[in-house]
Amino acid sequence: MKSSQTFINDIEMKLTDISKQIQQLQKENDFNEINLNYLTNQLTKITEELNDPPNISIEHGSYSFINEISIISLLKPKWDKWKQNAITVAGGNEEGEELDQLHSPHGIFIDKNKNIFIADFGNDRIVEWKHNAKEGQIIAGGHDEGDRIDQLNGPIDVIVDQENHSIIIADQVNRRVIQWLNQNQQILIHNFDCYGLAMDKHGFLYVNDYMKNEVRRWKMGEYNNEGIVVAGGNGEGDQLNQLDCPSFIFVDEEQSVYVSDSNNHRVMKWRKDAKEGRVVAGGNGGGRNLNQLSNPQGIFVDDLGQIYVADSGNHRIMRWCEGKEEGEIIVGGNGQGNQSNQLIGPAGLSFADEGNLYVADHWNRRIQKFEIICE
C-alpha cells in the first residue's frame, strides 16, 4: 500500500508541474513548437508509467506464512549509485588531537543541517564538524581520558536527539551511556558494556551490550530499570536467537532491530517482540565473496528495507536486499588503502537526506563523503 501511494504521489507531482508550466506559457503567450514537443514528451512518459506501474511480489518463509511475510518492492530505489571517489570532509590529516585531526573515528551521526557528529574514539571526545568546515569543535569530552562526569574514555557511538538537541554517547571503556545537553551531563545507563546506539520515532533508546550479546530498549527518561531485551540475550552463539559480539544497530519505522552481528559475520533482523532473528545479510562465514561479510560494523536501512553495511574486514560498503542471497558493493572494495576510492576498516556510516553517503574510515582517521549520482 505504501509503495502504491508513493507511485501515485510521484505521478501527481509530475502532472502538477506540467500544469504549472502550461499556465506560465499561457500567461506569457509563449507557446512554440519546442515547448509543445517538450510537454508532449513529458505527458507520453507519464502515460507509459501509468500503463506499466511498479510490481510488488509477496514471498513467505518455509515455516509459517503468517509469521514470515516479506514484501519486496520492485520500485527503483531513490538512492542507487554513488561516485566511487570520496571527498574527505573531516580529519584526513594523520592521527592527532588537533581540531583538524581525528584518532580512530567510530560512530557518526549526520543531522538535518548536514553537520557531522563523530565519536573520536582515540581522542576520548565527541567532535562536531559543521557543514563544509575545515576543522571540528569539541562538544563532549576532550579533557583527557577518565571517568569524571565531564570526561569520556573510548566513546564508540553517538546519536543526537534532535527534539531537545542533546547528545547521547556510548562511553565504552567507562561502561556507561551518557547524555550531554548544553555542557550539562547525565549518566543514563550504568555498568553496561555498550557499543551501538539507536533511537526510534517513539523516543525509545536502544543500546547493545557486546559482552552479554544482547540489545536492550529503554523509554526515554525511564532509565532506573534494566530495560527490555529486544535482540539476543541467549548467550554467545550463532543460533537465530543468539549474537556474538554485536556492534552497531539500526531501528526501523516498525521498531524492528537490525544488528551487525560482528563475530558471526552477519546482519540480523529482529522484528518487534520476536523471540529470534533472521539473517538478512551475510551469514556464510567470514569472507570476501558477495554472499559474505567480514566483521560488519555500521548499518543503515532505507525506506525500501535495503540494508547498507560497513563490511569492515573487506574495506567496503555493501547493500543487501532482504531475501537475496548476495549483496552488492556500492563503494570501496578496492583493497585497503588511503586513496579516495579506498577504505581501511570502515566503522560507522550514515546518509544525509539527499542520499550522500558518509563513512567513518577508521584506520585512515577520516570521514569520507561519497556523493550520490543523480540520474
Side-chain angles (χ1 to χ4, degrees):
M1 290 170 65
K2 287 183 179 179
S3 297
S4 298
Q5 191 59 52
T6 300
F7 172 69
I8 292 168
N9 291 343
D10 184 57
I11 293 293
E12 288 180 347
M13 287 175 62
K14 290 177 180 177
L15 288 172
T16 300
D17 183 59
I18 288 177
S19 178
K20 288 180 179 177
Q21 292 181 58
I22 293 172
Q23 290 173 7
Q24 185 65 29
L25 290 169
Q26 284 180 321
K27 184 178 178 180
E28 297 174 356
N29 194 22
D30 191 29
F31 278 106
N32 57 49
E33 188 175 352
I34 294 174
N35 290 331
L36 289 173
N37 286 338
Y38 169 77
L39 293 169
T40 301
N41 288 335
Q42 293 300 305
L43 288 169
T44 300
K45 288 180 181 178
I46 293 173
T47 302
E48 290 173 350
E49 286 187 56
L50 286 168
N51 289 334
D52 187 23
N55 297 314
I56 290 178
S57 66
I58 298 180
E59 298 181 358
H60 63 85
S62 58
Y63 296 104
S64 170
F65 179 71
I66 299 301
N67 290 335
E68 288 292 346
I69 299 178
S70 299
I71 297 179
I72 301 172
S73 174
L74 300 182
L75 281 169
K76 183 179 179 180
K78 63 177 182 179
W79 301 340
D80 195 26
K81 294 181 180 179
W82 291 262
K83 294 179 181 178
Q84 296 301 296
N85 292 297
I87 301 168
T88 299
V89 292
N93 297 302
E94 299 184 346
E95 179 183 302
E97 59 184 24
E98 300 299 321
L99 291 179
D100 66 344
Q101 294 178 308
L102 297 170
H103 183 355
S104 305
H106 223 76
I108 58 175
F109 184 94
I110 313 296
D111 71 9
K112 296 176 182 177
N113 298 317
K114 302 177 188 175
N115 301 317
I116 311 167
F117 296 80
I118 307 166
D120 193 8
F121 184 89
N123 283 324
D124 306 301
R125 66 190 185 184
I126 305 297
V127 290
E128 177 187 2
W129 286 62
K130 298 288 188 183
H131 182 52
N132 290 331
K134 299 300 182 184
E135 61 181 33
Q137 60 187 65
I138 301 169
I139 56 173
H143 304 293
D144 298 321
E145 69 178 48
D147 60 3
R148 293 198 317 260
I149 191 70
D150 66 337
Q151 291 179 307
L152 299 170
N153 193 350
I156 200 160
D157 200 10
V158 59
I159 58 175
V160 178
D161 183 349
Q162 300 189 72
E163 292 295 320
N164 62 14
H165 305 290
S166 69
I167 303 154
I168 300 173
I169 305 161
D171 191 14
Q172 189 183 67
V173 179
N174 282 327
R175 303 184 65 244
R176 66 189 184 186
V177 176
I178 188 167
Q179 182 182 48
W180 285 56
L181 177 60
N182 298 324
Q183 292 301 310
N184 296 314
Q185 303 88 27
Q186 177 187 3
I187 297 173
L188 304 180
I189 302 168
H190 299 261
N191 302 319
F192 198 87
D193 291 299
C194 50
Y195 200 119
L197 302 171
M199 185 180 294
D200 69 20
K201 64 180 181 181
H202 303 290
F204 287 94
L205 177 66
Y206 299 72
V207 190
N208 73 336
D209 187 319
Y210 69 96
M211 293 296 290
K212 292 184 179 178
N213 299 294
E214 64 187 22
V215 181
R216 289 181 176 265
R217 183 184 73 200
W218 284 263
K219 188 172 184 179
M220 288 293 284
E222 298 181 5
Y223 300 106
N224 56 352
N225 55 53
E226 295 183 350
I228 299 172
V229 176
V230 293
N234 297 295
E236 175 186 312
D238 60 2
Q239 301 302 304
L240 292 179
N241 67 344
Q242 294 179 308
L243 300 168
D244 187 354
C245 196
S247 57
F248 287 91
I249 56 178
F250 183 92
V251 181
D252 69 13
E253 292 287 308
E254 282 74 44
Q255 295 182 300
S256 293
V257 180
Y258 294 78
V259 186
S260 281
D261 191 11
S262 184
N263 284 355
N264 283 323
H265 310 293
R266 66 188 185 184
V267 175
M268 300 292 292
K269 177 182 179 180
W270 291 64
R271 296 184 185 275
K272 185 181 179 183
D273 301 324
K275 300 302 181 185
E276 63 179 33
R278 60 179 298 187
V279 180
V280 291
N284 297 297
R288 62 178 61 185
N289 294 327
L290 291 179
N291 69 341
Q292 294 179 304
L293 296 170
S294 177
N295 186 28
Q297 294 290 308
I299 185 173
F300 184 91
V301 182
D302 69 16
D303 293 340
L304 296 180
Q306 298 179 115
I307 303 127
Y308 299 79
V309 56
D311 189 10
S312 180
N314 289 317
H315 319 294
R316 65 192 185 187
I317 308 298
M318 297 194 72
R319 175 169 61 190
W320 292 67
C321 297
E322 187 174 344
K324 299 294 184 182
E325 294 297 322
E326 294 184 345
E328 60 178 322
I329 302 168
I330 61 168
V331 297
N334 299 302
Q336 67 180 52
N338 60 8
Q339 299 302 306
S340 61
N341 68 342
Q342 293 179 308
L343 303 165
I344 305 180
L349 61 81
S350 187
F351 285 89
D353 289 341
E354 76 281 357
N356 290 334
L357 167 63
Y358 294 77
V359 180
D361 192 5
H362 184 74
W363 295 112
N364 280 321
R365 288 98 181 180
R366 64 188 184 184
I367 308 300
Q368 298 291 84
K369 179 174 79 169
F370 293 89
E371 295 182 319
I372 192 163
I373 298 173
C374 298
E375 296 181 350

